[in-house]
Amino acid sequence: MASYLVLLFGLFMLMISFVESTTDPNSEECKGKWVYVRKLPSSFNLDLLVNCSNYPLYDDFCPHLANHGLGHKTHNRSHSWFRTDPYMLELIFHRRILEYPCLTTNPVQADAVYLPYYSGIDAISYLYGSDVNSSAHHGLGLFDFLSNDSPEIWNRNHGFDHFLVMARPAWDFSQPLRNDPVWGTSFLELPEFFNVTALTLESRFWPWQEQAIPYPTSFHPPSVLLMESWIERVRRTHRTTLMLFAGGGGVSASPNIRHSIRVECENTTSGGGGGFGGGGNNFTISGSISKICEIVDCSNGGCDHDPIKYMRPMLQSSFCLQPPGDTPTRRSTFDGILAGCIPVFFEDSSAKTQYGWHLPEKQFDEFSVFIPKEEVVSRGLRIVDVLTSIPKSEVRRMREKVIELIPRIIYRRHGDSMGWRTKKDAFDIAIEGAIRRIKSRISVTSDS
């Protein structure tokens, strides 16, 4: 495994040089979009993967490295579906940037500098291992390298033009510097990196430098044709379940939104002819619905790396419930959108205030339902009553909006096909957003 990884990622470095050297430096298409890939020592990326089975108290993630971070295929004949671990986004992003059409070998020409640092993987030893007591040191080695190796690249804009991907929620990198370690590292609390744009799986509300980008789903089509084929399947799927919750938690008696969802779902019974009763109240919904609520139990990692377990139920459901858990956001949000299942949020921070680049905040009412969790947990509002009150025509419009979002939230498979040049996936939108933010910050600092 180790020798294979060394060979594989050695080829990565060669490919970077090849892609950069074949880009026309005078390209009008690339004006204002140039990206320079910083060449980092292997200790910041490759070496972290060689030890994929040796991190204490953490599962062996070697199998997830297959296909440049996409993981193994769900079955041998699959072209688009993989058992993707979301924490491999750093590898997926690194592989995709090799195909970015506006790479430059000249850092002075660059509008943005990408750091291929696998920070989320590097954090594992701090999160689970003996290094947890040195969590404030996470990232200092990188800063030392950037400050001393070709320091003019870093100093030109004091790090404002640099960005990196951190394949974990920002909370995992936000341990206060002066507190005794509880969970996480202090990377995002280091003043040395305050100027760097960090693309995280979830962001906090206040730091300007953090921006959430979508969790990777298990769908990575290599061509527009395969993506459009999936979208047509989603569009014509017969929806026989009103609402679905795929997740864990909520089994204890303590009041919280997941517990309320489980109780409501378990107490809801179905009847015939399109009429259903639950909790002593009667209501009527479309005769095509045969089940009011379904729970896909994902407790204890039951759904990890097995998209079939939850994607089929999502395809059959009109609404997917997306309650917060340990953090406000869930990967399930993007799995549900991929299935054309209308998301139901219970906190604005679950998506609306986080993923503005990929899920436009002004359009949330057009493709999602919002139910304040306090109304459900404390005041007894039934989720099913809210959902069944939405007119059928509105449900159809919302689903079509959800389907329109699918290309924006998937990370297509590496290996460019010409058809993708007219489409933007999650990677393309993230790159554009990072460059916009970098230009905005540089403009502000230069004016001040």
Side-chain angles (χ1 to χ4, degrees):
M1 172 63 75
S3 60
Y4 168 73
L5 289 172
V6 170
L7 175 61
L8 178 63
F9 286 88
L11 289 174
F12 271 14
M13 299 302 106
L14 291 174
M15 291 171 67
I16 289 175
S17 299
F18 175 77
V19 173
E20 290 179 339
S21 65
T22 57
T23 303
D24 180 3
N26 299 314
S27 170
E28 281 297 316
E29 176 189 357
C30 293
K31 187 175 182 180
K33 302 178 182 178
W34 291 107
V35 173
Y36 177 76
V37 178
R38 193 74 157 90
K39 293 179 175 63
L40 302 180
S42 60
S43 58
F44 295 113
N45 39 54
L46 171 60
D47 292 352
L48 301 173
L49 305 181
V50 172
N51 297 319
C52 54
S53 61
N54 298 324
Y55 287 92
L57 303 178
Y58 193 74
D59 293 338
D60 177 4
F61 64 86
C62 295
H64 310 322
L65 303 179
N67 294 303
H68 305 281
L70 301 184
H72 291 290
K73 294 181 178 181
T74 53
H75 53 84
N76 291 335
R77 290 177 295 175
S78 173
H79 295 290
S80 302
W81 288 90
F82 299 82
R83 302 185 185 278
T84 304
D85 187 298
Y87 294 152
M88 295 299 107
L89 178 58
E90 291 153 358
L91 280 71
I92 295 170
F93 205 95
H94 190 185
R95 178 61 183 85
R96 280 292 308 283
I97 209 166
L98 302 180
E99 300 172 359
Y100 181 67
C102 300
L103 295 183
T104 176
T105 56
N106 182 3
V108 176
Q109 181 189 24
D111 299 285
V113 177
Y114 167 65
L115 299 175
Y117 171 44
Y118 300 162
S119 53
I121 295 174
D122 196 21
I124 293 175
S125 59
Y126 297 95
L127 298 175
Y128 297 95
S130 59
D131 288 339
V132 66
N133 290 324
S134 59
S135 62
H137 297 164
H138 181 212
L140 290 180
L142 176 63
F143 179 74
D144 182 65
F145 172 80
L146 296 173
S147 301
N148 293 286
D149 186 273
S150 301
E152 67 279 3
I153 299 176
W154 175 265
N155 293 335
R156 186 165 69 103
N157 287 297
H158 307 288
F160 276 112
D161 54 354
H162 286 55
F163 75 100
L164 77 165
V165 175
M166 309 184 78
R168 284 185 172 273
W171 311 97
D172 288 356
F173 304 102
S174 306
Q175 174 71 37
L177 290 168
R178 296 182 180 179
N179 288 11
D180 292 333
V182 177
W183 171 263
T185 81
S186 302
F187 187 100
L188 290 175
E189 297 296 322
L190 294 174
E192 290 87 345
F193 288 104
F194 280 174
N195 295 347
V196 174
T197 296
L199 307 183
T200 60
L201 291 179
E202 298 186 37
S203 63
R204 296 172 293 170
F205 180 71
W206 54 95
W208 77 265
Q209 74 268 41
E210 296 170 20
Q211 175 63 42
I213 61 176
Y215 279 81
T217 65
S218 290
F219 182 61
H220 307 282
S223 69
V224 172
L225 182 64
L226 286 168
M227 182 190 69
E228 291 177 345
S229 175
W230 171 256
I231 288 175
E232 283 308 305
R233 178 182 174 182
V234 170
R235 183 173 280 117
R236 65 174 181 264
T237 296
H238 189 47
R239 309 274 169 173
T240 57
T241 301
L242 177 67
M243 62 186 191
L244 169 86
F245 169 55
V251 294
S252 68
S254 58
N256 60 63
I257 184 60
R258 292 194 178 209
H259 177 71
S260 296
I261 288 171
R262 284 188 177 273
V263 169
E264 180 172 336
C265 200
E266 291 167 0
N267 289 343
T268 301
T269 57
S270 62
F276 295 82
N281 296 315
N282 295 320
F283 51 89
T284 301
I285 57 180
S286 168
S288 64
I289 298 293
S290 60
K291 185 186 297 184
I292 297 174
C293 183
E294 180 175 359
I295 291 179
V296 177
D297 190 1
C298 294
S299 303
N300 302 315
C303 297
D304 291 352
H305 316 121
D306 186 8
I308 296 175
K309 183 171 183 178
Y310 52 83
M311 286 305 298
R312 284 178 176 170
M314 284 179 171
L315 280 168
Q316 296 168 352
S317 302
S318 286
F319 297 92
C320 283
L321 310 183
Q322 306 295 352
D326 294 334
T327 58
T329 297
R330 338 175 44 226
R331 169 178 167 166
S332 175
T333 296
F334 302 100
D335 291 321
I337 291 173
L338 179 59
C341 190
I342 300 167
V344 180
F345 297 115
F346 301 89
E347 288 184 357
D348 278 342
S349 57
S350 289
K352 189 174 184 178
T353 59
Q354 294 214 39
Y355 299 100
W357 292 355
H358 296 80
L359 304 176
E361 186 172 342
K362 292 181 179 179
Q363 298 178 19
F364 257 73
D365 291 343
E366 300 177 21
F367 65 81
S368 69
V369 177
F370 179 72
I371 306 175
K373 63 182 181 182
E374 295 80 10
E375 295 294 320
V376 178
V377 176
S378 302
R379 298 181 178 86
L381 177 65
R382 291 205 312 165
I383 300 168
V384 70
D385 290 338
V386 176
L387 300 183
T388 54
S389 69
I390 302 174
K392 296 178 188 177
S393 58
E394 181 63 18
V395 172
R396 287 193 293 269
R397 283 195 296 270
M398 293 175 74
R399 179 169 299 112
E400 195 56 38
K401 279 291 184 181
V402 170
I403 292 173
E404 289 177 9
L405 292 171
I406 291 177
R408 300 175 60 89
I409 59 93
I410 62 170
Y411 295 89
R412 70 162 178 82
R413 187 181 177 184
H414 51 269
D416 202 11
S417 70
M418 292 306 294
W420 281 109
R421 295 302 175 94
T422 60
K423 299 281 186 181
K424 294 179 182 178
D425 73 338
F427 168 86
D428 297 317
I429 294 170
I431 287 286
E432 290 181 356
I435 292 175
R436 283 197 309 271
R437 176 163 293 183
I438 285 168
K439 288 182 176 180
S440 173
R441 291 299 299 174
I442 291 176
S443 174
V444 170
T445 55
S446 62
D447 291 342
S448 60

